[in-house]
Amino acid sequence: MSAHVQVEPSGREFFVDGNDSLLEAALRSGLSLDYGCSAGSCGKCKARILSGQVQKTRHSDCVLTGAEKSAGVVLMCCNTAVADLVIEAREAHGAADMPLQTIDAKLKSVGPLGDDVRLLHLQTPRSNRLRFLAGQSVSLSLADGISASLPVASCPCDDRNLQFHIRRQAGDAFAERVFGGLKGVDAVRVEGPRGEFVLDETSHRPLIFIACESGFAPIKSLIEHAMALDAAESLHLVWIARGAGGHYLDNLCRSWSDALDDFRYTLLTAKDALADDETALRQVLRDHPRLGDCDAYVAGPAPWASAAEFQLLELGLPRAQLSVSTLEA
């Protein structure tokens, strides 16, 4: 059985399946509700029940006042829906609403995505999860002072498990440690989130995602978030990289294309991907002749991303409908 939940004052909606908490179901559906520990201790995920009925599913250390209980206030992390609900809850409407957090995350694994890319998987404590928006970045620091600023490659719907795509580059001490397996490292300090490279959730226009090399990392997070929202008319991913191995998650992209009628995937390979932005843009224009009717998200090394940004604007894409993330070359 599923219960329908409407959130006021935004009017956003989601469904709760089984005994999932209201918070879990909302995050999985792409909503950015206010919360903290997700364990009933901090009280940040308070919501007021305007209609419908909930059932408590876990103990909470946060004690609600008598006035709050009388007003129908509950903790979303500790309650599920018994029937359809209308609730009043705080939501994040942009990057400015995301609090800066510092968390010591556990190192779960380092694994290969390709010859020159590694998947770094960190896990936050259950009581101190990272609240972020898709597309944002964080700073990662090791105990010896080596650090890096990296986009989160995973979806905010799984706030405990954070994924990062680490590309090996000359002179990058953090990448070298990752490629060495991070031996002797038990925890990595995470500080963030930062950045304005986030989805415009008020838009229902077709979405174009253009990634170069490991610029796919923040694009992947945005795509998974857009899928959870299920609000865009269509999604088109263009991924350009050097050689076949550069598309290190090609099977994932193809699975999206196979599973979703409104998802298109274009793979472009170039000897010098950084200089091949015109090829990508020609492909985009062929597929989207009315470029001004779309929203575009571009991510890649700084020289390539800057050139792509300039050309898209020259081709008539409105500035307000273009978002760019530049990664270190």
Side-chain angles (χ1 to χ4, degrees):
M1 295 292 291
S2 293
H4 173 266
V5 181
Q6 180 173 313
V7 182
E8 297 295 347
S10 70
R12 303 279 293 279
E13 300 173 321
F14 65 95
F15 287 89
V16 180
D17 295 319
N19 286 324
D20 286 350
S21 73
L22 295 173
L23 181 60
E24 290 169 339
L27 294 177
R28 190 166 50 247
S29 298
L31 276 68
S32 299
L33 299 180
D34 193 11
Y35 71 98
C37 68
S38 303
S41 299
C42 71
K44 289 184 179 180
C45 67
K46 291 176 183 177
R48 188 162 69 94
I49 308 302
L50 302 181
S51 69
Q53 185 179 355
V54 299
Q55 178 177 314
K56 193 167 184 177
T57 56
R58 61 157 51 146
H59 170 75
S60 59
D61 293 326
C62 176
V63 179
L64 299 176
T65 67
E68 287 175 327
K69 293 177 181 178
S70 297
V73 173
V74 300
L75 298 181
M76 291 185 288
C77 68
C78 297
N79 285 270
T80 190
V82 175
D84 292 350
L85 294 175
V86 178
I87 66 174
E88 182 180 65
R90 295 188 299 270
E91 295 181 71
H93 298 289
D97 295 329
M98 283 291 116
L100 186 66
Q101 303 146 71
T102 300
I103 299 171
D104 288 329
K106 178 182 178 181
L107 174 65
K108 287 291 289 184
S109 65
V110 175
L113 288 176
D115 292 340
D116 295 317
V117 183
R118 292 290 182 268
L119 175 65
L120 172 61
H121 179 186
L122 304 179
Q123 189 174 74
T124 70
R126 291 186 182 276
S127 60
N128 193 16
R129 306 170 187 229
L130 180 71
R131 189 174 171 221
F132 67 100
L133 296 178
Q136 288 191 298
S137 298
V138 299
S139 296
L140 302 182
S141 302
L142 305 179
D144 57 9
I146 294 176
S147 63
S149 178
L150 295 163
V152 184
S154 46
C155 181
C157 57
D158 188 358
D159 52 2
R160 283 199 69 207
N161 293 287
L162 308 177
Q163 296 181 1
F164 303 89
H165 298 170
I166 312 298
R167 179 174 291 277
R168 171 174 272 165
Q169 299 181 91
D172 188 334
F174 187 88
E176 288 303 319
R177 289 292 304 278
V178 171
F179 272 76
L182 287 176
K183 294 180 175 61
V185 174
D186 296 319
V188 178
R189 176 153 293 182
V190 180
E191 185 180 274
R194 297 183 176 89
E196 302 285 339
F197 189 64
V198 298
L199 207 64
D200 178 4
E201 297 183 7
T202 65
S203 171
H204 298 285
R205 288 182 288 265
L207 303 180
I208 303 170
F209 301 95
I210 308 175
C212 180
E213 301 289 359
S214 52
F216 177 69
I219 291 292
K220 173 180 175 289
S221 181
L222 287 177
I223 289 174
E224 291 177 339
H225 184 54
M227 289 177 179
L229 289 173
D230 194 23
E233 180 180 318
S234 63
L235 298 87
H236 183 191
L237 167 63
V238 179
W239 190 2
I240 181 170
R242 300 182 187 94
H247 303 94
Y248 49 84
L249 282 175
D250 179 54
N251 287 339
L252 173 64
C253 299
R254 293 184 185 279
S255 71
W256 289 339
S257 183
D258 291 341
L260 302 171
D261 293 335
D262 59 355
F263 187 93
R264 183 187 305 175
Y265 171 44
T266 301
L267 178 152
L268 297 176
T269 303
K271 292 181 180 179
D272 184 2
L274 299 185
D276 209 35
D277 52 284
E278 291 186 5
T279 300
L281 295 179
R282 284 198 298 270
Q283 180 68 50
V284 169
L285 283 176
R286 278 197 298 269
D287 294 330
H288 304 277
R290 299 180 61 179
L291 194 59
D293 293 340
C294 304
D295 291 342
Y297 296 85
V298 176
W304 177 90
S306 297
E309 176 182 15
F310 175 80
Q311 292 190 35
L312 284 168
L313 294 175
E314 284 287 298
L315 292 168
L317 182 68
R319 170 74 264 183
Q321 292 167 217
L322 172 63
S323 187
V324 179
S325 175
T326 57
L327 309 180
E328 294 182 6

